[in-house]
């Protein structure tokens, strides 16, 4: 019996390819139109996906000029989508660097109640450099400090969610007693970065805690994931790299006193699907032809915290020396490393590199027929490079529709993917248990 | 032709009366059950109300033991309700003291897009003393400082909403130009309390700006409202006091260079409705009999920032000297004043005072038949004590249902209240214009 796989739909603009929005298969709806996102969520639910997911950046960024951007805020969007769907999990990104922990704990608890236990929190420290100045900082706090804060932050948020016993509410109109106040406790958190009294002002979420998702892959990021993450998004340009990451992270979880199954690992997969492999390649070439060197350069520069690549020649092989050392990068360290590794290995031209990144910003990109995509998925799962995938359709909704209509049935036929939902919560879909409440034993 | 009136439904627990949740007319659904709030919102929409409203306190508070509490967070709840309704306005409370302005501006902009322009922001500085320690403070910042911050805060949030011209998005797949970057500007706010670079990361809200609602009535609070508020909630125990407030605030708006119609004034109205006046009085007495002295004392103490009233005799006339001077109260100054004025005027016993406050915490309370309630409403409107009401049903949903089924039709028959919605936005319902964008002239 093959291992069942997990599928998360990563919703991003009108598709993940930088030029996806210019393709006829992309929606013409505005990115502020909730009905666009509702249609995607319903489509993913019809395809029996585990979850949908919104990333988040706390600045507009210069690329907005050429890329469909300016979308709804994830927490409010998910609250609305909770009423448009009934089973699928809903994951929102929120920042530990720029949000008050009481506010974040509370909004995610509220979302989990609204959705009946279908919420996940993608914990990020916010890599974009421009976020800092939107929150009173001269510049964003450094990578190490962001993670040190995040570590304490997650402790605060868990303690707030656990500040109510699951049975704290009595709700007896006869006696007039509503709450067993002894089953709700202050947390009196006094740490290096946060002081939060608590308790939270609403009951423990249906899932106990929303699912903790994480997407940082630097050394610090992986250590963080090993301790806290229940699902991990990650970017790899090869199966080998994904398999190494997979083994390392499962080991890390075990070293941290957890079980390998306590972390679900979901690498990004950008699949350009056509009726035939040839049609799929044509699609990808069409999309690449629509990209713009300036947009690509500005995005590459962003990932490296503002480093200027514009003086490099476009059509000569690059070498690792053309890039700063990823471990000195204050923005997205792990993505910087994915890129420099690729450069060292393949020596692409700058033009070629930008094309390769245009598809999915450093995630694995494949073009092929539905059969071919299903094979890749099965292969990665069997090779223990993944527990499932973070699907990143290059064009939305067209490429999601093809995946749901043509790839999902193949996976189902092979017994790899559910035909019907077997659970009602995101924890249930991912095979994760409901966390006990350490403060209240029953 | 009489002035048309405005009606806002203030949703609070299972009703505004302290013991409302113990009454058979109250829902048995949990306060974390979104379907309960969805039913109320739909009911209010069927009654052609202008809006619904959620208050907010950033602490649980001790009263939770005896009062239905621990409800959904307002912003997430409203996002969900936006998908359950199509016309009614949706107002959420959010705090200027404990939320990052970039996050607040963004979530409200997102809500306004999700709802198609139906959002209002009830601007509060958060009066509850216990909020401070949930956000890293030893204790809550003082009244004057909270308002000084709030004043600057509103400037930041407006500038963020206005950081995109209404026509900034080009969205042309042919040329690949998505955004006219020159029609989006940084705000580079550098004030006494906030430094925010901007621009916001999503387009200007459909209403230009969500409706600015305010509910502080201290001297500082009224000055703030005169400058910023487009709708004002306020608590009065008599028509005379409401009329004074009304005249003063409209004058204040004019003095601040605005028009009297730029502020819609909505006093609270807690109506206990029965088929006859006698039945209504019986209902109110039933509810009062279910209250608890300890709960009342702890709530009274909260309003006065923790002052201890427990040594006072229960059954002797109170005098003003039994209370601290409201202007020294760091919590809710204006509500403290409403209460001490009442004490000076009527010399109630402590037991009697607690009963009077149990109905609606210092808002006007009336018991009567539908005819009687309609008369009160018409009288206040004609007397220029109100532009409409913030309806605070003592028991939910039963008392809302009676209001919609029996009071609204009377108001409609008298030409005082709309039979059908004439607008699609909250600004439209309240008769407010869409604010021009000072940074981008077309
Ligand atoms: C699928 C995926 C989604 C991500 N989404 C976000 C996001 O929404 N916001 C963000 O700031 N970072 C996001 N990240 C990036 C990581 O959080 C980023 O790597 C981190 O900020 C820096 O950590 P690192 O240096 O450990 O990689 C995402 C990464 C992946 C793989
Ligand atoms: C109808 C109404 C609703 C209110 N809702 C809130 C609320 O949700 N949160 C809050 O902190 N204060 C709320 N207030 C109280 C005012 O914001 C409070 O008076 C203020 O914090 C202190 O201002 P003041 O001293 O100017 O009155 C409300 C007041 C009224 C009349």
């Amino acid at each position: 019996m093959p291992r069942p796989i997990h599928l998360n739909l990563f919703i991003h603009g009108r598709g993940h390819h930088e030029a996806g929005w210019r393709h006829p298969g992309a929606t013409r709806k505005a990115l502020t139109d909730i009905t666009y996102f509702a249609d995607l969520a319903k489509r993913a639910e019809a395809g029996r996906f585990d979850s949908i997911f919104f990333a988040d950046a706390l600045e507009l960024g210069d690329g907005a000029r050429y890329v469909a951007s300016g979308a709804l805020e994830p927490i409010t969007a998910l609250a609305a989508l909770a009423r448009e769907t009934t089973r699928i999990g809903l994951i929102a990104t929120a920042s530990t660097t720029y949000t008050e922990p009481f506010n974040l704990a509370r909004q995610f608890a509220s979302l989990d109640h609204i959705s009946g236990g279908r919420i996940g929190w993608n914990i990020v420290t916010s890599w974009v450099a421009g976020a800092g100045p939107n929150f009173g900082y001269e510049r964003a706090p450094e990578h190490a400090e962001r993670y040190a804060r995040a570590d304490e932050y997650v402790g605060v948020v868990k303690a707030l969610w656990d500040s109510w016993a699951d049975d704290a509410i009595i709700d007896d109109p006869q006696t007039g007693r509503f709450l067993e106040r002894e089953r709700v406790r202050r947390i009196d958190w006094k740490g290096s970065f946060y002081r939060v009294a608590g308790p939270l002002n609403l009951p423990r979420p249906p899932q106990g805690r929303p699912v903790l998702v994480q997407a940082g892959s630097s050394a610090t990021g992986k250590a963080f994931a090993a301790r806290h993450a229940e699902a991990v998004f990650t970017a790899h340009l090869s199966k080998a790299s994904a398999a190494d990451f997979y083994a390392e992270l499962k080991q890390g979880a075990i070293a941290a006193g957890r079980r390998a199954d306590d972390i679900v690992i979901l690498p990004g997969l950008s699949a350009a699907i056509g009726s035939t492999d040839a049609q799929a390649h044509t699609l990808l070439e069409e999309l690449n032809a629509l990209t713009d060197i300036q947009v690509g350069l500005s995005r590459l520069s962003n990932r490296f915290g503002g480093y200027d690549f514009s003086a490099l020649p476009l059509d000569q092989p690059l070498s690792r020396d053309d890039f700063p050392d990823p471990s000195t990068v204050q923005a997205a360290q792990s993505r910087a490393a994915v890129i420099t590794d690729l450069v060292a290995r393949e020596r692409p031209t700058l033009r070629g590199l930008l094309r390769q990144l245009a598809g999915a910003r450093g995630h694995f990109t494949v073009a092929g027929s539905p059969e071919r995509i299903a094979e890749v998925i099965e292969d990665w799962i069997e090779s223990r490079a993944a527990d499932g995938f973070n699907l990143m359709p290059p064009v939305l909704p067209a490429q999601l529709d093809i995946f749901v209509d043509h790839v999902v049935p193949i996976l189902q036929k092979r017994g790899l993917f559910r035909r019907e939902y077997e659970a009602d919560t995101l924890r249930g879909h991912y095979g994760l248990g409901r966390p006990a409440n350490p403060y209240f034993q029953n």
Side-chain angles (χ1 to χ4, degrees), chain A residues 201-221:
Chain A
N201 54 356
L202 79 171
R204 195 160 190 253
Q207 294 184 107
R209 305 173 190 153
V211 174
L212 298 182
V213 183
Q214 209 265 356
S217 296
S218 63
T220 331

Side-chain angles (χ1 to χ4, degrees), chain A residues 189-207:
Chain A
W189 189 282
K190 295 195 177 73
S192 317
F193 303 102
Y194 303 101
R195 296 173 84 87
V196 179
L200 200 58
N201 54 356
L202 79 171
R204 195 160 190 253
Q207 294 184 107

Side-chain angles (χ1 to χ4, degrees), chain A residues 311-387:
Chain A
L312 290 180
L314 270 172
D315 296 301
Q316 286 165 31
L318 295 168
S319 87
R320 189 166 209 144
D321 301 339
D322 294 322
F323 291 78
D325 176 350
S327 72
T328 66
V329 168
Q330 295 301 330
Q333 278 189 9
S334 58
R335 202 67 58 82
V338 165
I339 296 167
T340 51
D341 288 353
L342 169 83
V343 167
R345 203 168 57 238
E346 302 187 3
R347 310 277 327 262
T349 64
L350 184 55
R351 194 189 299 278
L353 176 68
L354 295 182
R355 282 207 167 176
Q356 219 169 327
L357 297 177
R361 308 181 302 283
H363 290 265
F364 189 70
T365 304
V366 56
S369 65
E371 285 294 338
R372 169 96 190 89
I373 305 302
E375 269 162 33
V376 169
I377 290 177
E378 187 160 10
D379 177 37
W380 281 49
I381 299 287
E382 278 179 4
S383 311
R384 303 221 164 240
D387 294 318

